[in-house]
Amino acid sequence: MHPNLTVVDHPLIQHKLTLMRRKETSTAQFRALLAEIALLLGYEAMRDLKLTEETIETPLMPMKAHKLEGKKLVLITIMRAGQGLVDGMLQLVPSARVGHVGLYRDPKTLQAVEYYYKVPQQLEDRDVIVCDPMLATGNSAIAALDRLKRSNPGSLRLVCLLACPEGIANLASAHPDVPIITAAVDEKLNDHGYILPGLGDAGDRLFGTK
Ligand code: URA
């Protein structure tokens, strides 16, 4: 497996993920659960962000206190389901900047095709967290990371909800330097590029489009 893979197997996350997987879970519940899990995954994904010190005054005395180093963090949503993860993470870092990468999967080749790209300036000074709920073939995440690396970001991480061995292997060979944070690694990919047992189409379930 990927040496940089972190599976966040906290009981709260696993419980919420089971609720999300159930086919009878409503769109409203799915959306709320994804935001809750995103917050918890984000907490783990941001564990090694660098800190700096500043002198502040408490009501009692001055002290040197920690704060996050550098420019504002960037959250990248891989449209469209990535939005669900970004919404949850924004509760943790409300001042984060948000970038959008639009990619669709060609249904025949399963390759990622870019149709939109708008990200914050000065990525070279920023930590960047790419949000893509389903690491299936890995093609979308790889394409997004390829594109982002052209701007030389300060650091890059990928947060997903579910991964599978095929997606992890593809990502590991294309971007061995990028840590992956996920809630679970499922069994395998089917012939249509869906994760099994998975949770179905994350975008459709999040937006109620099916
Ligand atoms: N995208 C999804 O939404 N679900 C999968 O299982 C794979 C890719």
Side-chain angles (χ1 to χ4, degrees):
M1 280 275 183
H2 194 315
N4 275 344
L5 177 72
T6 302
V7 180
V8 189
D9 56 356
H10 191 287
L12 270 178
I13 294 186
Q14 297 308 312
H15 178 82
K16 289 175 191 294
L17 179 57
T18 300
L19 299 179
M20 290 187 78
R21 289 180 189 273
R22 284 186 183 151
K23 63 179 180 191
E24 63 272 21
T25 295
S26 70
T27 301
Q29 288 169 321
F30 190 91
R31 204 173 274 158
L33 288 160
L34 182 55
E36 288 167 19
I37 295 183
L39 191 147
L40 298 165
L41 288 174
Y43 183 73
E44 195 56 42
M46 294 174 211
R47 175 173 291 282
D48 56 356
L49 291 184
K50 292 206 173 55
L51 292 172
T52 182
E53 277 186 344
E54 74 170 8
T55 304
I56 59 162
E57 292 204 22
T58 77
L60 300 176
M61 61 179 285
M63 71 170 286
K64 280 194 170 166
H66 295 299
K67 66 173 197 176
L68 290 173
E69 192 185 78
K71 287 199 180 358
K72 299 272 187 287
L73 192 78
V74 173
L75 304 175
I76 301 287
T77 170
I78 300 190
M79 287 151 70
R80 59 192 167 132
Q83 192 61 48
L85 279 176
V86 165
D87 288 344
M89 276 193 224
L90 281 173
Q91 292 180 36
L92 209 54
V93 274
S95 60
R97 305 305 194 228
V98 177
H100 292 80
V101 179
L103 297 162
Y104 69 86
R105 277 202 301 186
D106 183 299
K108 289 208 180 83
T109 64
L110 301 183
Q111 290 304 309
V113 183
E114 184 182 307
Y115 64 89
Y116 189 79
Y117 186 80
K118 183 88 183 167
V119 305
Q121 306 278 309
Q122 294 170 300
L123 285 193
E124 63 277 13
D125 299 330
R126 300 180 189 272
D127 294 306
V128 176
I129 301 183
V130 179
C131 298
D132 188 8
M134 309 298 277
L135 183 59
T137 59
N139 292 341
S140 305
I142 290 169
L145 291 167
D146 285 344
R147 186 73 156 84
L148 287 161
K149 278 187 175 176
R150 286 196 228 159
S151 305
N152 216 6
S155 75
L156 266 173
R157 297 165 179 73
L158 175 73
V159 172
C160 49
L161 176 67
L162 274 185
C164 63
E166 296 88 335
I168 294 167
N170 279 343
L171 199 103
S173 72
H175 294 288
D177 55 317
V178 176
I180 307 170
I181 297 94
T182 185
V185 179
D186 271 12
E187 226 176 288
K188 60 176 180 182
L189 214 53
N190 73 8
D191 293 341
H192 304 286
Y194 280 87
I195 295 176
L196 296 178
L199 49 72
D201 188 296
D204 281 338
R205 297 203 62 189
L206 181 64
F207 296 109
T209 41
K210 221 174 214 168

